[in-house]
Amino acid sequence: MIDHLVYATHQPDRAAALIERELGVTFSPGGRHPERGTVNRLLRLGDRTYLELLAPDATNPHVSPPRWMGVDHVDAATTGRLTRWAWAVTKGAAPAPPGAPGDQSFGPLEAGSRA
């Protein structure tokens, strides 16, 4: 199941304002990923799915680029772009079939959380 969509940006306030205005929605504050050097804002899309605005954390000089989920590969002059999605995996879940989400050809699975 898709857990969330990732919209990478260097301008989270501007991107949130644009999406809020266009869609008539409101983002939640989100939090920080201290080990990843990023900050986020969240928008609920369903019971278990959300849109995450993800940006470099300017207050965290301890994490060097490239930071996760493509935030350093987005043009800083734009409001950002959708870069990927995150798959919800439960503990003890069966391995994914080839080509399915979770298949290692998509890259290694990584746990994520925020403070």
Side-chain angles (χ1 to χ4, degrees):
M1 174 166 110
I2 292 179
D3 184 71
H4 65 282
L5 304 172
V6 178
Y7 188 94
T9 181
H10 289 269
Q11 305 174 46
D13 293 337
R14 182 175 169 211
L18 174 69
I19 294 169
E20 287 175 342
R21 184 176 63 247
E22 293 296 321
L23 300 179
V25 296
T26 303
F27 278 87
S28 297
R32 290 183 148 57
H33 306 105
E35 298 83 25
R36 310 282 187 162
T38 55
V39 295
N40 70 2
R41 295 177 102 182
L42 307 172
L43 174 65
R44 180 178 295 275
L45 299 174
D47 289 340
R48 296 182 180 170
T49 306
Y50 61 95
L51 173 65
E52 175 181 31
L53 291 183
L54 189 67
D57 183 353
T59 68
N60 185 348
H62 306 293
V63 179
S64 301
R67 285 165 280 232
W68 75 329
M69 298 212 188
V71 297
D72 293 308
H73 301 294
V74 174
D75 185 348
T78 70
T79 54
R81 65 182 170 89
L82 194 62
T83 62
R84 63 200 66 209
W85 50 266
W87 191 252
V89 178
T90 58
K91 190 172 188 172
D103 174 15
Q104 292 299 302
S105 63
F106 285 99
L109 297 177
E110 296 181 39
S113 64
R114 64 185 175 277

